[in-house]
């Protein structure tokens, strides 16, 4: 039987809302030792509306000379690729490879319930060939 994303995902990821600023995002990344922070609706703190990577902070934030008080909305990615908890690990790996992303939010409807990374796939000893290929492709892109 195929393993699903639910079996390997990180539940209750650290999140921010549109009321936070990019300095607060950077501190949360440091404290949680993560390179990605989902952005959720401030009213229910569950509805996924965006995502911010460490690269977003650098490219759209500091490299554009935005200060730490800049709003989250300025640097976040809105058109998010997400999966459901019943998505197979292989499907998630294929999606990450095709989109050239290392992490993907897990949702139930629009509610954020977790996040899964290529590392999660590796650590759980179910490292699909697709995930290995995706990681190789993504890593090679960042070396050039």
């Amino acid at each position: 039987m195929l393993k699903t994303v639910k079996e390997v995902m990180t539940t209750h990821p650290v999140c921010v809302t549109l009321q936070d600023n990019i300095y607060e995002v950077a501190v949360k990344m440091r404290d949680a030792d993560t390179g990605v922070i989902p952005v959720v609706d401030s009213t229910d703190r569950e509805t996924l509306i965006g995502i911010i990577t460490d690269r977003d902070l650098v490219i759209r934030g500091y490299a554009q000379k935005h200060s730490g008080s800049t709003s989250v909305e300025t640097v976040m990615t809105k058109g998010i690729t997400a999966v459901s908890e019943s998505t197979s690990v292989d499907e998630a790996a294929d999606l990450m490879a095709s989109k050239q992303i290392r992490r993907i939010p897990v949702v139930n409807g629009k509610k954020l319930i977790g996040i899964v990374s290529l590392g999660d796939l590796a650590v759980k000893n179910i490292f699909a060939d697709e995930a290995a290929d995706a990681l190789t492709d993504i890593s090679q892109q960042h070396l050039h």
Side-chain angles (χ1 to χ4, degrees), residues 86-131:
S86 62
T87 301
S88 78
V89 167
D90 286 347
E91 285 177 285
D94 284 344
L95 193 55
M96 286 185 221
S98 68
K99 297 279 189 178
Q100 294 291 296
I101 53 177
R102 294 172 186 256
R103 305 163 194 97
I104 198 161
V106 183
V107 294
N108 183 349
K110 293 184 178 183
K111 306 285 186 200
L112 178 71
I113 57 172
I115 198 155
V116 69
S117 70
L118 286 174
D120 293 331
L121 303 181
V123 169
K124 307 293 184 186
N125 292 326
I126 51 168
F127 203 79
D129 291 339
E130 293 87 352

Side-chain angles (χ1 to χ4, degrees), residues 28-144:
K28 285 186 177 197
M29 281 184 183
R30 179 199 66 199
D31 293 350
D33 191 27
T34 186
V36 65
I37 301 277
V39 182
V40 293
D41 186 278
S42 58
T43 52
D44 66 12
R45 297 199 173 267
E46 290 182 333
T47 302
L48 182 66
I49 57 173
I51 199 159
I52 299 174
T53 65
D54 43 12
R55 191 165 192 276
D56 293 334
L57 281 181
V58 173
I59 305 296
R60 295 185 194 149
Y62 300 115
Q64 297 292 328
K65 298 189 176 172
H66 288 294
S67 70
S69 61
T70 300
S71 77
V72 160
E73 197 164 11
T74 304
V75 301
M76 78 177 192
T77 299
K78 293 176 185 147
I80 314 157
T81 299
V83 295
S84 73
E85 62 186 355
S86 62
T87 301
S88 78
V89 167
D90 286 347
E91 285 177 285
D94 284 344
L95 193 55
M96 286 185 221
S98 68
K99 297 279 189 178
Q100 294 291 296
I101 53 177
R102 294 172 186 256
R103 305 163 194 97
I104 198 161
V106 183
V107 294
N108 183 349
K110 293 184 178 183
K111 306 285 186 200
L112 178 71
I113 57 172
I115 198 155
V116 69
S117 70
L118 286 174
D120 293 331
L121 303 181
V123 169
K124 307 293 184 186
N125 292 326
I126 51 168
F127 203 79
D129 291 339
E130 293 87 352
D133 293 343
L135 188 56
T136 301
D137 292 346
I138 293 166
S139 298
Q140 286 173 346
Q141 274 193 347
H142 292 292
L143 293 176
H144 302 299

